[in-house]
Amino acid sequence: MRFVANLGMLFADLPFRRRFAAARAAGFDCVEFTFQQEPSGPDVAALLREHGLTQLLAGLPGAADDKGLAAAPGRESEFRERFARGLARAVEARAPLLHVTTGVVADADLTVSGDTFAANMRWAAGLAANENVCLVLEAINQTDVPGYFLRSLADTIAWLARLDLPNVGLILDLYHAAREGLPLARAVDLGLPWAWHVQVADPRTRHEPVIAGELALALRTIHRRREDATIGCEYSPAGDTVAGLAWMAELKNVW
């Protein structure tokens, strides 16, 4: 399996530009992060080349307070502008996966938001296909982000089946699955057939994973079923990032 450094969360004591070198020095050859205004697209591409890194997963630029716009009725033009900008950045960075976030939706608005989401995703998937970029969706648990449109792993998979788009897949986030109360063995069974990327964090603290119990079994199952799986380290380190990476070595004991 290939581990991917989330530069939005790891090496947080360093300025963002310096995190590329830190990730490489820590042994990563692959990174993921959400695009912001700075660094610019050319600067990101140059940093990746300089440090011999691949950006596997990109996130759309946007405001943290809206959690995305793909399912936001009345904001279609804003979503499309934001998506086109993020897709251009992904192409420039040669990132094969682009995460589309949906936004927060009230229960009463789920039907109209679903129509908006379907239309936006079909439009976005067509644009991304022209650039050989695949889009990925993720369930976000309702404790951390109440009202997020993709309310559960099962809900997200149902949408993937309904959309039936060849370049749209799943981020299987084990942290969010655990936070929604789903046993991790069940999450792997449900999600792995749809997953193009996996993300991990300790379900209780969102710090480094503790390689024991349910989580150890889930990661072992993923390794056995899909040896080429990519595992995003999407967690906030409890202390020093590099010291906290010891959990990766511990995984060898459960494989």
Side-chain angles (χ1 to χ4, degrees), residues 15-186:
F16 188 76
R17 290 171 181 268
R18 290 178 57 193
R19 297 179 195 181
F20 292 80
R24 189 61 181 168
F28 291 99
D29 62 5
C30 205
V31 296
E32 61 183 35
F33 54 90
T34 295
F35 289 124
Q36 300 298 330
Q37 187 172 351
E38 293 295 335
S40 68
D43 284 350
V44 166
L47 285 164
L48 292 168
R49 287 194 302 270
E50 178 184 355
H51 299 293
L53 295 168
T54 298
Q55 184 177 3
L56 175 76
L57 173 68
L60 292 181
D65 60 349
D66 63 35
K67 302 298 181 185
L69 297 174
R75 301 182 71 180
E76 290 86 350
S77 61
E78 189 178 350
F79 167 76
R80 294 188 178 202
E81 184 280 329
R82 187 182 294 185
F83 179 83
R85 187 157 36 99
L87 178 61
R89 294 284 299 270
V91 170
E92 196 162 29
R94 299 182 180 179
L97 300 180
L98 184 59
H99 180 199
V100 178
T101 45
T102 65
V104 172
V105 172
D107 288 347
D109 297 330
L110 280 174
T111 298
V112 65
S113 293
D115 293 340
T116 299
F117 176 65
N120 278 337
M121 287 304 301
R122 291 192 174 98
W123 172 85
L127 206 64
N130 293 333
E131 302 291 353
N132 295 315
V133 172
C134 293
L135 309 181
V136 282
L137 301 172
E138 173 188 38
I140 296 181
N141 77 83
Q142 297 293 295
T143 300
D144 288 5
V145 184
Y148 190 76
F149 176 72
L150 296 174
R151 281 159 158 67
S152 68
L153 180 58
D155 185 34
T156 307
I157 291 169
W159 267 110
L160 290 172
R162 192 178 314 168
L163 291 169
D164 192 25
L165 295 166
N167 65 327
V168 180
L170 176 73
I171 298 175
L172 175 57
D173 190 306
L174 298 180
Y175 166 80
H176 286 299
R179 292 284 286 173
E180 75 169 78
L182 196 62
L184 290 185
R186 179 61 177 156

Side-chain angles (χ1 to χ4, degrees), residues 160-241:
L160 290 172
R162 192 178 314 168
L163 291 169
D164 192 25
L165 295 166
N167 65 327
V168 180
L170 176 73
I171 298 175
L172 175 57
D173 190 306
L174 298 180
Y175 166 80
H176 286 299
R179 292 284 286 173
E180 75 169 78
L182 196 62
L184 290 185
R186 179 61 177 156
V188 171
D189 286 342
L190 280 174
L192 196 59
W194 299 87
W196 294 350
H197 184 48
V198 177
Q199 290 178 328
V200 67
D202 183 86
R204 299 158 299 175
T205 64
R206 203 157 191 180
H207 294 326
E208 294 87 346
V210 176
I211 304 305
E214 266 197 305
L215 185 55
L217 179 59
L219 290 170
R220 181 171 64 184
T221 301
I222 292 168
H223 175 68
R224 289 180 175 177
R225 293 183 185 175
R226 193 181 298 175
E227 290 186 358
D228 62 347
T230 54
I231 309 294
C233 303
E234 196 195 32
Y235 60 81
S236 178
D240 177 72
T241 296

